[in-house]
Amino acid sequence: MKMSEQQLDIIRSQIKELKSKDCFYSQKLKDVDPDSLRTQEDFEKLPFTWKGDLRNAYPLGLQAVPDEEIVRIHSSSGTTGTPVIIPYTKRDVEKKKKMFKRCYEIAGLTPLDRVQITPGYGLWTAGIGFQAGAELLGAMVIPMGPGNTDKQLQMMQDLRSTVLCATSSYALLLAEEIAKRGIGDKIFLKKGIIGSERWGQKMRKRIAAELGVSLYDIYGLTEVYGPGIGISCDYECGMHYWDDYVYFEIINPKTGELVPDGEIGELVITTLKKEGAPLIRYRTHDLTRFMVGDCKCGCKYPRIDTILGRTDDMVKVKGVNIFPSQIDDMLSGISGASSEYQFMIDHMYGRDICTLFVESEANVNKELLTEEIQDRFKIKIGISITVKPVNIGDLPRSEKKSTRIFDNRY
Ligand code: ZN
């Protein structure tokens, strides 16, 4: 994706300003002369910022403005180590709100909508972001927060909520509960705005069908404003993102080099207007790709694909990068194969051997299914594998969806 002159100017003056202060980036970029940043290629030589850098800066090492300008902090959950704290200025809070409003507008919300918000409040960025954007739009907010399904469903009926904001797993849980209780005719939802997790087409269809809603994927991460920096539109062909606030790059996670537009890689984000804690070339570990060309909706903001996985899930076999959503996708087009599989990589006799165990329906011809999957795998993903169909229920059910690829090579 081409960096505009304007984006380059903003980044240059941002770096110049950061270097004039005693802060995280004046240290990190101490060898960089902002005046030498003349082209996109110059920018691409700047070092990446890693989650570890942010953790090391705990608690307020990322703060890039004086204390009197900070009005709020948000924080990642910190379940896997030291949390990351992101300080916000008044203007940062305003910008976050405006971006979120833009998301709602892309999803077609109006001031007549009633928005039930189920993501968490508090240190978490999500709940308050969903709320502030909806209020700026003029819709009515029902600030439920997470959990308490009975109360959620009661409010949803009594207040006739028209929009549900949720994670995909909670949206599915609510959808199943509504079906189980037979209260579908008392639900008035029209749209679902679903954040943050990777979810397959099968799950998406189920939620949409059970709730009778159109679904929109919203993107964001705690380190960069939280959800609201991008959203899918009615055409469901990736997510538009706000390139006046954030600059996106997609790189090969192994080499750090940019991949050609349209190819899958790791999303790297540079903030353009953030004051409290700006980020330059931040490695998100989210896998996606640029969607090339104009969107049919007419919106001019560029697009990335919905998140295809995390770089940690990716394995490299025979020079080809493989990740779970590719296999999900390939299997979803094959009748007789279920969505459950395990992909094993072993190193034997000096080479890598891949075996895909797939649950298949009882009445299916296993030989034909094996051939079909082998062919599709070769065409879609690019390597030859061994396929072993197994019966439905034979593979262990795991709470964690990501444990489907087993790399036994090391
Ligand atoms: Zn669009």
Side-chain angles (χ1 to χ4, degrees), residues 244-258:
D244 45 350
Y245 290 94
V246 280
Y247 177 73
F248 281 9
E249 298 170 88
I250 300 203
I251 61 160
N252 178 327
K254 297 262 156 55
T255 65
E257 276 162 28
L258 264 72

Side-chain angles (χ1 to χ4, degrees), residues 233 240 295 297 299 303:
C233 64
H240 292 279
C295 183
C297 77
C299 170
R303 287 170 298 150

Side-chain angles (χ1 to χ4, degrees), residues 28-223:
K28 182 148 184 108
L29 302 179
K30 59 179 184 295
D31 300 326
V32 174
D33 171 13
D35 289 322
S36 71
L37 275 179
R38 287 192 207 92
T39 62
Q40 180 171 353
E41 288 69 36
D42 295 335
F43 168 77
E44 285 159 6
K45 289 183 195 120
L46 294 180
F48 292 117
T49 302
W50 302 82
K51 182 115 178 185
D53 296 335
L54 273 49
R55 287 209 180 101
N56 291 338
Y58 181 87
L60 285 170
L62 283 177
Q63 185 176 320
V65 294
D67 280 356
E68 60 269 29
E69 292 187 36
I70 299 297
V71 298
R72 185 201 290 172
I73 60 115
H74 280 293
S75 169
S76 63
S77 53
T79 44
T80 53
T82 313
V84 168
I85 292 192
I86 304 289
Y88 284 71
T89 66
K90 214 177 259 183
R91 279 183 295 268
D92 289 337
V93 169
E94 288 303 311
K95 283 166 204 146
K96 181 173 153 75
K97 215 186 284 185
K98 279 187 193 154
M99 280 188 273
F100 225 119
K101 175 172 176 253
R102 205 185 272 173
C103 290
Y104 285 134
E105 284 165 346
I106 295 264
L109 270 65
T110 75
L112 284 173
D113 275 301
R114 298 179 173 186
V115 185
Q116 185 157 342
I117 296 168
T118 71
Y121 280 78
L123 286 173
W124 193 234
T125 46
I128 196 166
F130 277 105
Q131 170 156 354
E135 287 173 356
L136 188 63
L137 181 75
M140 184 175 91
V141 168
I142 307 163
M144 299 297 296
N148 204 345
T149 300
D150 284 337
K151 185 115 187 217
Q152 298 275 6
L153 294 176
Q154 194 63 51
M155 292 295 243
M156 196 179 279
Q157 295 171 70
D158 295 347
L159 289 168
R160 300 190 163 208
S161 309
T162 59
V163 178
L164 173 69
C165 302
T167 60
S168 54
S169 42
Y170 198 56
L172 182 63
L173 188 147
L174 287 173
E176 285 174 340
E177 236 5 83
I178 288 165
K180 203 155 81 189
R181 298 180 190 198
I183 52 172
D185 57 338
K186 296 186 187 116
I187 301 294
F188 296 86
L189 291 175
K190 289 186 292 193
K191 293 170 197 286
I193 300 195
I194 308 297
S196 80
E197 298 159 278
R198 180 172 75 77
W199 48 322
Q201 276 307 315
K202 282 186 178 166
M203 186 173 181
R204 169 184 274 278
K205 281 197 185 119
R206 234 175 110 202
I207 298 171
E210 300 262 10
L211 291 177
V213 297
S214 320
L215 293 173
Y216 302 84
D217 287 278
I218 195 157
Y219 182 65
L221 56 166
T222 310
E223 301 89 314

Side-chain angles (χ1 to χ4, degrees), residues 253-268:
K254 297 262 156 55
T255 65
E257 276 162 28
L258 264 72
V259 300
D261 285 355
E263 266 182 38
I264 294 164
E266 178 181 347
L267 178 65
V268 173

Side-chain angles (χ1 to χ4, degrees), residues 106 231-238 240 294-299 301 303:
I106 295 264
I231 192 168
S232 61
C233 64
D234 286 331
Y235 290 89
E236 290 187 13
C237 49
H240 292 279
D294 290 333
C295 183
K296 276 185 267 177
C297 77
C299 170
Y301 288 102
R303 287 170 298 150

